[in-house]
């Protein structure tokens, strides 16, 4: 018997309870992983509040972890007891000391990448990869706007885009975060709690606007983001840290310059095994080359997941955070 964070119901951080939990035996095609580190992601907050409903309750939340294979189920090939592995994505269940998980969702870790580093980057880093390749092909000619540029996804996205030679404009919620966004490769940073973002972007781009906006903030930024784009620019709305975006009139896209709009999810971009492997391999590549640094801002005991959620929701975190079982 081990321990896990279990939610009996949706609600505030107090619904995250540290209790006994039996991870069970792996079924066919599964392995049991003993976690060394678990990732903290904003989507965990949506699962906790019920904004994104979980398949059933009670549930162990969490979509990202790294550790060692402890038991291998029937029919699993290519993985052995003791292998260091990591994953990001459904099914939920990462906020546990150990869990069973389908073997086809696991990626073996290169020796130079620690479990803590993996738990801090798999979900946010593979997201950055599909945002830069799948939603819009960012290269040295691209001019992009990244909201929450000192956040988990934002930090990796900005560094990776800058490494490709793109011109990156970031937004941040404080001077301290703006400094971090600059270290992440942003050429310009807008303090979006006080500045007019479209006006600043127009000034910074000589009036033309950016090719693409990566907007993870949602309600507070969505409409202004559209005003930052050049004609036929791409709006990538991939999150809603400030709240859900209400109903939207499509004709606005025509009025603002024949804009494109996408609302993507990592789950679709990595659903096929070959895509999952390609995303992980590219991420390991940029991290191992030093092009992208994974900054672990905070480490919490897994038992204190509720405090980690409070800090994330109150905008106190920067970069990535991990939970330690
Ligand atoms: P972050 O580390 O980016 O944390 C959220 C940040 O958003 C805060 O630190 C804050 O930065 C900013 N923010 C702005 N307004 C608010 C607000 N009202 N409340 C809270 N935060 C606010 O989190 P993640 O990197 O884990 O995730 C970022 C977003 O991307 C989330 O919405 C997440 O769900 C989404 N996501 C989507 C994926 C997909 O495939 N679609 C995959 C991964 C993540 P500041 O103080 O600088 O404003």
């Amino acid at each position: 018997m081990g321990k896990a964070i279990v939610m009996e119901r949706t609600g505030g951080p107090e619904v995250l309870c540290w209790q006994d939990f039996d991870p069970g035996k792996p079924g066919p095609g599964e392995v049991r992983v003993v976690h060394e580190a678990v990732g903290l992601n904003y989507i965990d907050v949506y699962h906790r509040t019920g904004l994104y409903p979980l398949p059933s309750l009670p549930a162990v939340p969490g979509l990202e972890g790294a550790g060692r294979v402890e038991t291998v189920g029937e029919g699993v090939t290519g993985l052995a007891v003791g292998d260091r592995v990591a994953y990001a994505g459904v099914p939920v269940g990462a906020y546990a000391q150990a869990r069973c998980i389908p073997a086809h969702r696991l990626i073996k870790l290169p020796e130079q990448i620690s479990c803590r580093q993996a738990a801090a980057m798999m979900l946010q880093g593979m997201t950055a990869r599909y945002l830069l390749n799948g939603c819009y092909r960012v290269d040295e000619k691209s001019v992009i706007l990244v909201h929450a540029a000192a956040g988990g996804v934002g930090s990796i996205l900005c560094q990776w885009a800058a490494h490709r030679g793109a011109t990156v404009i970031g937004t941040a919620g404080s001077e301290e975060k703006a400094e971090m966004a600059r270290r992440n490769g942003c050429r310009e940073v807008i303090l979006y709690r006080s500045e007019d973002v479209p006006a600043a972007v127009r000034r910074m781009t000589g009036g033309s606007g950016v090719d693409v906006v990566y907007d993870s903030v949602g309600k507070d930024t969505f409409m202004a983001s559209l005003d930052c784009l050049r004609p036929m620019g791409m709006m990538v709305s991939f999150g809603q840290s400030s709240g859900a975006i209400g109903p939207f009139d499509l004709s606005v896209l025509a009025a603002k310059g024949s804009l494109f709009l996408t609302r993507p999810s990592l789950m679709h971009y990595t659903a096929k095994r070959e895509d999952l492997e390609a995303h992980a391999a590219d991420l390991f590549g940029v991290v191992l080359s030093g092009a992208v640094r994974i900054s672990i801002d905070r480490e919490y005991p897994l038992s204190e997941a509720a405090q980690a959620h409070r800090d994330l929701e109150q905008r106190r975190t920067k970069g990535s955070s991990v939970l330690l079982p």
Side-chain angles (χ1 to χ4, degrees):
M1 182 71 78
K3 293 251 183 196
I5 293 285
V6 179
M7 297 168 42
E8 301 275 345
R9 58 189 168 86
T10 56
E14 70 284 352
V15 302
L16 301 173
C17 299
W18 184 237
Q19 60 186 58
D20 289 344
F21 172 75
D22 178 3
K25 288 200 179 66
E30 289 186 340
V31 300
R32 190 164 68 208
V33 176
V34 175
H35 287 138
E36 287 183 23
V38 170
L40 175 71
N41 292 286
Y42 218 95
I43 191 170
D44 305 340
V45 172
Y46 304 145
H47 284 147
R48 193 205 72 219
T49 60
L51 179 67
Y52 295 174
L54 288 165
S56 63
L57 288 172
V60 175
L63 290 173
E64 180 179 39
R68 284 185 190 274
V69 173
E70 187 190 35
T71 317
V72 177
E74 200 189 308
V76 172
T77 53
L79 283 174
V81 171
D83 282 349
R84 295 168 66 249
V85 291
Y87 62 88
V90 285
V92 290
Y95 283 21
Q97 289 176 330
R99 71 173 296 185
C100 294
I101 185 164
H104 67 86
R105 296 306 305 168
L106 296 176
I107 295 287
K108 278 198 209 177
L109 287 178
E111 242 174 63
Q112 310 90 316
I113 291 188
S114 71
C115 284
R116 263 178 217 210
Q117 208 178 12
M121 74 179 192
M122 293 300 286
L123 199 146
Q124 294 164 342
M126 292 198 293
T127 298
R129 198 276 196 182
Y130 87 72
L131 292 173
L132 292 172
N133 287 25
C135 296
Y136 188 92
R137 179 76 210 179
V138 169
D139 61 20
E140 72 285 353
K141 291 191 286 299
S142 309
V143 181
I144 74 173
L145 174 67
V146 178
H147 284 304
V153 176
S155 290
I156 301 175
L157 182 58
C158 290
Q159 292 181 70
W160 204 330
H163 172 63
R164 286 201 185 161
T167 302
V168 186
I169 301 174
T171 64
S174 67
E175 253 317 328
E176 191 196 348
K177 288 189 179 184
E179 201 37 61
M180 177 159 175
R182 280 183 205 103
R183 286 198 300 277
N184 288 338
C186 292
R187 192 169 294 179
E188 308 265 10
V189 182
I190 303 166
L191 289 170
Y192 61 173
R193 293 173 96 157
S194 53
E195 286 181 67
D196 176 339
V197 177
V201 166
R202 297 279 158 203
R203 193 177 67 241
M204 290 164 181
T205 58
S208 31
V210 296
D211 299 307
V212 50
V213 178
Y214 291 109
D215 190 336
S216 66
V217 173
K219 183 161 74 68
D220 290 355
T221 48
F222 181 83
M223 288 310 287
S225 291
L226 299 177
D227 291 326
C228 296
L229 286 163
R230 63 157 164 81
M232 282 87 80
M234 171 64 82
M235 170 71 180
V236 184
S237 170
F238 72 100
Q240 43 198 7
S241 324
S242 66
I245 300 155
F248 174 70
D249 175 2
L250 273 185
S251 66
V252 170
L253 298 178
K256 290 188 186 288
S258 300
L259 304 177
F260 292 85
L261 167 64
T262 181
R263 175 58 179 91
S265 163
L266 174 68
M267 307 314 153
H268 303 124
Y269 280 90
T270 55
K272 289 193 199 135
R273 179 71 198 175
E274 70 255 35
D275 291 335
L276 176 66
E277 286 178 1
H279 278 69
D282 279 0
L283 175 62
F284 294 155
V286 286
V287 170
L288 291 175
S289 75
V292 171
R293 284 167 289 104
I294 303 302
S295 143
I296 303 182
D297 178 46
R298 288 170 190 230
E299 297 181 341
Y300 301 85
L302 178 56
S303 56
E304 290 172 23
Q307 186 56 45
H309 277 220
R310 283 186 199 102
D311 290 346
L312 190 57
E313 288 178 279
Q314 288 165 21
R315 305 167 81 158
R316 287 199 283 254
T317 61
K318 299 192 294 289
S320 307
S321 302
V322 292
L323 307 169
L324 302 175

